[in-house]
Amino acid sequence: MKNIDSKGHVTGKSLYLDDIPVRQGTLHAVVFFSPVAHAKIKNLEVTDARNYPGVIDILTAKDIPGENQIGGIIPDEPLFAEYETDYLGQPVALVVAETERIARRARQLIKLDFDELEVITDPRVATEKGWLLTPPTIFSMGEPEKKWSHCKYIFEGSVEQAGQEHLYLETQGAYSYPAEDGRIMVHSSTQSPTAAQRTIAKVLGISMNQIQVDVVRLGGGFGGKEDQATAPAVMVALAAQKLEKPVKLVLSRADDMQITGKRHPYSSDFKIGLSQDLKILAYEVTYYQNGGASNDLSPAISQRTLFHTTNSYYIPDVKATLYSCKTNLPPNTAFRGFGAPQGMFVIESAIAKAAMELHVPASLIQKRNLLRENDLFYYGQTAKQVNIRKTWKTLCDEYHLQEKQKEIESFNKKNRIYKKGMAMMPVTFGISFTNISMNQARALVHIYHDGSIGVSTGAIEMGQGVNTKMMQVAAHTFSIDPSRIKLETTNTSRVSNTSPTAASSGADLNGNALLVACNALLMRLKAFVAEQLKASKKEVEIVNERVFVKGNETDFTWEKLIRQAFLNRVNLTEHGHYATPVIHFDVEKGKGHPFAYHTYGTAAFVVKVDVLRGIYEVEEVDIVHDFGDSMNQSIDIGQVEGALVQGIGYMTMEELSYNSDGKLLSNSLSTYKVPDIYGVPKTVNVMPLKTSGHTLAVMGSKAVGEPPLLYGLGVYFAIQNAMREFNPQFASFDAPMTPEKVLMGLYPRSKSVPETTKSEKQLLKTE
Ligand code: MTE
Ligand code: LUZ
Ligand code: MOS
């Protein structure tokens, strides 16, 4: 089945927040934010702005009837800074005017008086100063400190990873209007309608049932709208409540990039110990997570870093320590992978370092340590239905990787200005929210008496195709044509207490809840047929909109069945609830069974580096991915391709740059480069691993949203391998690997530019 949104997207008819027709009298807001990263606020002067023609009001912390507090996990983040500002971009006031242009002009008239305080942007410095968002967390198994003496080889090193801007096509925004009797309606571009509802209630000082949050779809979220869509929603709701008018806020791209948090930068230290035959015996790692000015989702992201510390490998003795550091940057937040990329990049760096020192291919160490059935993850879960070795082997066989390696070797012998490199990237990603209570969902199904169906779930459509999958679940269960089914907007008054659509579990959780509802309705319909036709329930079947009893077609069509059921007063509405079974986790001990299952896959990268210019090209990426029994191959392969490219961007060209005052310098698309059509690998092959799927995945179709982003890490090591063909001494684990870094890495002081032959000169010219 094609993605049900494709046609609307390409014809421009799909509705986003900014397309919702506004009501008469709608006002427009812009955020006035702190121009400094860390300061005591002395005075906020808004008189000139307030007097600007067309300005309606300027809201500050003083206008908040409830609590000035939006922290989701830990209450440590004000909606508007009042006494102190902790990052450049922190909201201080909301300017509300007749038009957005007026609001923007008036914003320039606001003056903030302040005394500057020391600015810290480096997580290691923050740790030294004791600036921690939460106490350090340690997960461990065995005792690595006792294992080092058994290790034949021990390597240590440090790893740097920068953040990443989400760059969803649709910026953050929300639209709110007052309804009867103090009620508030909010349209929001959020992955977490319930978080928005809960926080609005807190800030406005009203109860959750007074607030209705509705989400049509997002123009991308990528985790950036799991927590950080809440603030704009609260701001417009606050203004709508106070002014009793509709208020709309859509961030400009520049504001969005400056105000919102990003993927967490990490700085880490590792120590890895191996046996003579390259088994990893012990691993110790310390992460310094750059959390930004407040917690946001950092505690949960920290946990996922710890869960994915050993990626796809079995290591008997492990100790991982994480410092979540407070810095004067915007609060960093969820981003596809949610801490896993940071954990996995360090272990892959450790393996790469060991391989380099031992003069063996990293793939040899990787392969030797891949998880096997019943191996223990160091957080206590036993690995089951482990497909990592199968994906590795299938990849090597189907894409003839040995031959490719040989071709690369002979290419490198023949060429001096181009060098090629290859790297493997196995991925094992845990599926479930690591916070157990979040693993629940609900769905509401109405069968209208013309036979059409309205489906509501807690899932948010953000481009990942979850609505299409929901439609498939319903159509499959009833055995009817999907055109009869309509996916409703996600609305807190129809489906309450939703978990964010995140952790790749949107389809699993909501799909399973929908299955419960649809199955209950199906049973009721079968019982009705049985009663009408004097048969037993078990003998009734609905196949392709026709009703059969004992295999014989009856004169009930779907439409007739529904009509008759309605006239006989059968309940045609059902609600389904699903809570993932099996999972549990003891946070104190760092042990349990946190994941319903794992998603597996392996990627192989071939890159070509131009050693004169430092530029590179990804020639080919081959992937074997465990989709389980995919319910929608085209959507799922699209997810792999999109995540892969997003991961490649993260590891190569996307470079966030802040100055020492905490000002974001890469705050536009001219200074922050994301992969475009030329940055995409020339060839991407995605092969599904043949498996029967997992019982806890919706209809056996495994979660796919985030895991493939991790493949992107492989590009770093492929580039590094190519560089070592020219400068064998090169060893640095500092992502992203921008062309500038490649060039500097190729030419340490002693190294000179290779002399080019005539034919190579010709080649360079034509390129
Ligand atoms: N795909 C598109 N096109 N746009 C997105 O914003 N978000 C990703 C992934 N794929 C995203 C996407 C992230 S971060 C997650 S957690 C999952 O989709 C969420 O959706 P799911 O749980 O339905 O897979
Ligand atoms: N969000 C969250 C997530 O709150 N908990 C998680 O475990 C998670 N994992 C991935 C992405 N978002
Ligand atoms: Mo995705 S980072 O779980 O929104």
Side-chain angles (χ1 to χ4, degrees), residues 358-375:
L358 297 172
H359 301 286
V360 298
S363 57
L364 195 66
I365 304 179
Q366 289 175 308
K367 186 179 169 190
R368 211 154 274 185
N369 292 280
L370 289 176
L371 286 161
R372 290 173 200 278
E373 194 69 14
N374 294 323
D375 275 345

PDB file of all heavy atoms in Angstrom, residues 358-375:
ATOM      1  N   LEU A 358      46.630  -2.748  16.038  1.00  0.00           N
ATOM      2  CA  LEU A 358      46.976  -4.169  15.847  1.00  0.00           C
ATOM      3  C   LEU A 358      47.161  -4.529  14.374  1.00  0.00           C
ATOM      4  O   LEU A 358      47.451  -5.674  14.055  1.00  0.00           O
ATOM      5  CB  LEU A 358      45.875  -5.052  16.455  1.00  0.00           C
ATOM      6  CG  LEU A 358      45.687  -4.917  17.973  1.00  0.00           C
ATOM      7  CD1 LEU A 358      44.452  -5.667  18.447  1.00  0.00           C
ATOM      8  CD2 LEU A 358      46.931  -5.407  18.712  1.00  0.00           C
ATOM      9  N   HIS A 359      46.962  -3.561  13.508  1.00  0.00           N
ATOM     10  CA  HIS A 359      47.074  -3.780  12.058  1.00  0.00           C
ATOM     11  C   HIS A 359      46.180  -4.918  11.575  1.00  0.00           C
ATOM     12  O   HIS A 359      46.605  -5.795  10.825  1.00  0.00           O
ATOM     13  CB  HIS A 359      48.536  -4.027  11.675  1.00  0.00           C
ATOM     14  CG  HIS A 359      49.420  -2.877  12.059  1.00  0.00           C
ATOM     15  ND1 HIS A 359      49.427  -1.687  11.371  1.00  0.00           N
ATOM     16  CD2 HIS A 359      50.275  -2.740  13.092  1.00  0.00           C
ATOM     17  CE1 HIS A 359      50.265  -0.851  11.970  1.00  0.00           C
ATOM     18  NE2 HIS A 359      50.798  -1.459  13.021  1.00  0.00           N
ATOM     19  N   VAL A 360      44.959  -4.897  12.044  1.00  0.00           N
ATOM     20  CA  VAL A 360      43.951  -5.833  11.520  1.00  0.00           C
ATOM     21  C   VAL A 360      42.757  -4.988  11.077  1.00  0.00           C
ATOM     22  O   VAL A 360      42.583  -3.863  11.552  1.00  0.00           O
ATOM     23  CB  VAL A 360      43.489  -6.859  12.582  1.00  0.00           C
ATOM     24  CG1 VAL A 360      44.644  -7.734  13.038  1.00  0.00           C
ATOM     25  CG2 VAL A 360      42.811  -6.167  13.767  1.00  0.00           C
ATOM     26  N   PRO A 361      41.935  -5.515  10.178  1.00  0.00           N
ATOM     27  CA  PRO A 361      40.726  -4.759   9.825  1.00  0.00           C
ATOM     28  C   PRO A 361      39.776  -4.689  11.026  1.00  0.00           C
ATOM     29  O   PRO A 361      39.630  -5.682  11.747  1.00  0.00           O
ATOM     30  CB  PRO A 361      40.090  -5.558   8.684  1.00  0.00           C
ATOM     31  CG  PRO A 361      40.994  -6.695   8.397  1.00  0.00           C
ATOM     32  CD  PRO A 361      42.059  -6.787   9.449  1.00  0.00           C
ATOM     33  N   ALA A 362      39.145  -3.536  11.219  1.00  0.00           N
ATOM     34  CA  ALA A 362      38.179  -3.393  12.326  1.00  0.00           C
ATOM     35  C   ALA A 362      37.076  -4.432  12.196  1.00  0.00           C
ATOM     36  O   ALA A 362      36.553  -4.927  13.200  1.00  0.00           O
ATOM     37  CB  ALA A 362      37.594  -1.981  12.331  1.00  0.00           C
ATOM     38  N   SER A 363      36.732  -4.770  10.953  1.00  0.00           N
ATOM     39  CA  SER A 363      35.627  -5.721  10.748  1.00  0.00           C
ATOM     40  C   SER A 363      35.914  -7.078  11.388  1.00  0.00           C
ATOM     41  O   SER A 363      34.997  -7.792  11.772  1.00  0.00           O
ATOM     42  CB  SER A 363      35.324  -5.875   9.257  1.00  0.00           C
ATOM     43  OG  SER A 363      36.471  -6.276   8.564  1.00  0.00           O
ATOM     44  N   LEU A 364      37.189  -7.410  11.517  1.00  0.00           N
ATOM     45  CA  LEU A 364      37.550  -8.681  12.142  1.00  0.00           C
ATOM     46  C   LEU A 364      37.172  -8.667  13.633  1.00  0.00           C
ATOM     47  O   LEU A 364      36.609  -9.635  14.160  1.00  0.00           O
ATOM     48  CB  LEU A 364      39.053  -8.912  11.982  1.00  0.00           C
ATOM     49  CG  LEU A 364      39.554 -10.326  12.241  1.00  0.00           C
ATOM     50  CD1 LEU A 364      38.996 -11.273  11.199  1.00  0.00           C
ATOM     51  CD2 LEU A 364      41.084 -10.349  12.222  1.00  0.00           C
ATOM     52  N   ILE A 365      37.491  -7.557  14.274  1.00  0.00           N
ATOM     53  CA  ILE A 365      37.142  -7.440  15.705  1.00  0.00           C
ATOM     54  C   ILE A 365      35.630  -7.349  15.863  1.00  0.00           C
ATOM     55  O   ILE A 365      35.035  -7.981  16.730  1.00  0.00           O
ATOM     56  CB  ILE A 365      37.828  -6.206  16.341  1.00  0.00           C
ATOM     57  CG1 ILE A 365      39.339  -6.284  16.142  1.00  0.00           C
ATOM     58  CG2 ILE A 365      37.469  -6.086  17.819  1.00  0.00           C
ATOM     59  CD1 ILE A 365      40.105  -5.094  16.705  1.00  0.00           C
ATOM     60  N   GLN A 366      35.000  -6.557  14.998  1.00  0.00           N
ATOM     61  CA  GLN A 366      33.540  -6.422  15.071  1.00  0.00           C
ATOM     62  C   GLN A 366      32.880  -7.793  14.985  1.00  0.00           C
ATOM     63  O   GLN A 366      32.070  -8.168  15.829  1.00  0.00           O
ATOM     64  CB  GLN A 366      33.030  -5.542  13.915  1.00  0.00           C
ATOM     65  CG  GLN A 366      33.375  -4.057  14.040  1.00  0.00           C
ATOM     66  CD  GLN A 366      32.948  -3.282  12.804  1.00  0.00           C
ATOM     67  OE1 GLN A 366      33.282  -3.661  11.668  1.00  0.00           O
ATOM     68  NE2 GLN A 366      32.225  -2.191  13.006  1.00  0.00           N
ATOM     69  N   LYS A 367      33.260  -8.524  13.933  1.00  0.00           N
ATOM     70  CA  LYS A 367      32.596  -9.793  13.642  1.00  0.00           C
ATOM     71  C   LYS A 367      32.791 -10.801  14.776  1.00  0.00           C
ATOM     72  O   LYS A 367      31.855 -11.493  15.172  1.00  0.00           O
ATOM     73  CB  LYS A 367      33.160 -10.359  12.341  1.00  0.00           C
ATOM     74  CG  LYS A 367      32.440 -11.586  11.868  1.00  0.00           C
ATOM     75  CD  LYS A 367      33.006 -12.086  10.571  1.00  0.00           C
ATOM     76  CE  LYS A 367      32.433 -13.462  10.263  1.00  0.00           C
ATOM     77  NZ  LYS A 367      33.131 -14.085   9.147  1.00  0.00           N
ATOM     78  N   ARG A 368      33.991 -10.838  15.310  1.00  0.00           N
ATOM     79  CA  ARG A 368      34.303 -11.820  16.336  1.00  0.00           C
ATOM     80  C   ARG A 368      33.492 -11.582  17.615  1.00  0.00           C
ATOM     81  O   ARG A 368      33.304 -12.495  18.405  1.00  0.00           O
ATOM     82  CB  ARG A 368      35.797 -11.739  16.638  1.00  0.00           C
ATOM     83  CG  ARG A 368      36.353 -13.059  17.058  1.00  0.00           C
ATOM     84  CD  ARG A 368      37.819 -13.168  16.762  1.00  0.00           C
ATOM     85  NE  ARG A 368      38.098 -13.616  15.412  1.00  0.00           N
ATOM     86  CZ  ARG A 368      39.329 -13.867  14.971  1.00  0.00           C
ATOM     87  NH1 ARG A 368      40.367 -13.685  15.759  1.00  0.00           N
ATOM     88  NH2 ARG A 368      39.513 -14.283  13.734  1.00  0.00           N
ATOM     89  N   ASN A 369      33.024 -10.397  17.813  1.00  0.00           N
ATOM     90  CA  ASN A 369      32.352 -10.084  19.085  1.00  0.00           C
ATOM     91  C   ASN A 369      30.843  -9.874  18.966  1.00  0.00           C
ATOM     92  O   ASN A 369      30.189  -9.477  19.930  1.00  0.00           O
ATOM     93  CB  ASN A 369      33.012  -8.852  19.717  1.00  0.00           C
ATOM     94  CG  ASN A 369      34.433  -9.161  20.181  1.00  0.00           C
ATOM     95  OD1 ASN A 369      34.634  -9.744  21.229  1.00  0.00           O
ATOM     96  ND2 ASN A 369      35.416  -8.803  19.360  1.00  0.00           N
ATOM     97  N   LEU A 370      30.286 -10.142  17.778  1.00  0.00           N
ATOM     98  CA  LEU A 370      28.844  -9.935  17.588  1.00  0.00           C
ATOM     99  C   LEU A 370      28.036 -10.815  18.542  1.00  0.00           C
ATOM    100  O   LEU A 370      28.437 -11.936  18.858  1.00  0.00           O
ATOM    101  CB  LEU A 370      28.450 -10.240  16.148  1.00  0.00           C
ATOM    102  CG  LEU A 370      28.909  -9.235  15.073  1.00  0.00           C
ATOM    103  CD1 LEU A 370      28.528  -9.747  13.683  1.00  0.00           C
ATOM    104  CD2 LEU A 370      28.316  -7.851  15.316  1.00  0.00           C
ATOM    105  N   LEU A 371      26.901 -10.281  18.953  1.00  0.00           N
ATOM    106  CA  LEU A 371      26.012 -10.991  19.882  1.00  0.00           C
ATOM    107  C   LEU A 371      25.550 -12.329  19.317  1.00  0.00           C
ATOM    108  O   LEU A 371      25.319 -12.465  18.106  1.00  0.00           O
ATOM    109  CB  LEU A 371      24.756 -10.147  20.125  1.00  0.00           C
ATOM    110  CG  LEU A 371      24.889  -8.920  21.008  1.00  0.00           C
ATOM    111  CD1 LEU A 371      23.722  -7.987  20.754  1.00  0.00           C
ATOM    112  CD2 LEU A 371      24.933  -9.316  22.481  1.00  0.00           C
ATOM    113  N   ARG A 372      25.400 -13.289  20.235  1.00  0.00           N
ATOM    114  CA  ARG A 372      24.802 -14.571  19.893  1.00  0.00           C
ATOM    115  C   ARG A 372      23.542 -14.758  20.734  1.00  0.00           C
ATOM    116  O   ARG A 372      23.362 -14.087  21.749  1.00  0.00           O
ATOM    117  CB  ARG A 372      25.745 -15.720  20.244  1.00  0.00           C
ATOM    118  CG  ARG A 372      26.957 -15.807  19.384  1.00  0.00           C
ATOM    119  CD  ARG A 372      27.888 -16.880  19.944  1.00  0.00           C
ATOM    120  NE  ARG A 372      29.237 -16.695  19.466  1.00  0.00           N
ATOM    121  CZ  ARG A 372      29.670 -17.110  18.280  1.00  0.00           C
ATOM    122  NH1 ARG A 372      28.865 -17.728  17.456  1.00  0.00           N
ATOM    123  NH2 ARG A 372      30.917 -16.894  17.905  1.00  0.00           N
ATOM    124  N   GLU A 373      22.718 -15.718  20.310  1.00  0.00           N
ATOM    125  CA  GLU A 373      21.504 -16.057  21.044  1.00  0.00           C
ATOM    126  C   GLU A 373      21.833 -16.300  22.528  1.00  0.00           C
ATOM    127  O   GLU A 373      22.819 -16.969  22.836  1.00  0.00           O
ATOM    128  CB  GLU A 373      20.888 -17.308  20.408  1.00  0.00           C
ATOM    129  CG  GLU A 373      19.469 -17.601  20.811  1.00  0.00           C
ATOM    130  CD  GLU A 373      18.452 -16.584  20.266  1.00  0.00           C
ATOM    131  OE1 GLU A 373      18.803 -15.795  19.368  1.00  0.00           O
ATOM    132  OE2 GLU A 373      17.308 -16.572  20.744  1.00  0.00           O
ATOM    133  N   ASN A 374      21.014 -15.745  23.400  1.00  0.00           N
ATOM    134  CA  ASN A 374      21.137 -15.934  24.855  1.00  0.00           C
ATOM    135  C   ASN A 374      22.321 -15.220  25.501  1.00  0.00           C
ATOM    136  O   ASN A 374      22.587 -15.421  26.677  1.00  0.00           O
ATOM    137  CB  ASN A 374      21.163 -17.414  25.241  1.00  0.00           C
ATOM    138  CG  ASN A 374      19.840 -18.074  24.927  1.00  0.00           C
ATOM    139  OD1 ASN A 374      18.787 -17.457  25.094  1.00  0.00           O
ATOM    140  ND2 ASN A 374      19.888 -19.300  24.445  1.00  0.00           N
ATOM    141  N   ASP A 375      23.058 -14.413  24.759  1.00  0.00           N
ATOM    142  CA  ASP A 375      24.071 -13.567  25.386  1.00  0.00           C
ATOM    143  C   ASP A 375      23.353 -12.561  26.289  1.00  0.00           C
ATOM    144  O   ASP A 375      22.209 -12.184  26.032  1.00  0.00           O
ATOM    145  CB  ASP A 375      24.875 -12.788  24.324  1.00  0.00           C
ATOM    146  CG  ASP A 375      26.021 -13.614  23.766  1.00  0.00           C
ATOM    147  OD1 ASP A 375      26.365 -14.646  24.379  1.00  0.00           O
ATOM    148  OD2 ASP A 375      26.567 -13.216  22.720  1.00  0.00           O
TER     149      ASP A 375
END
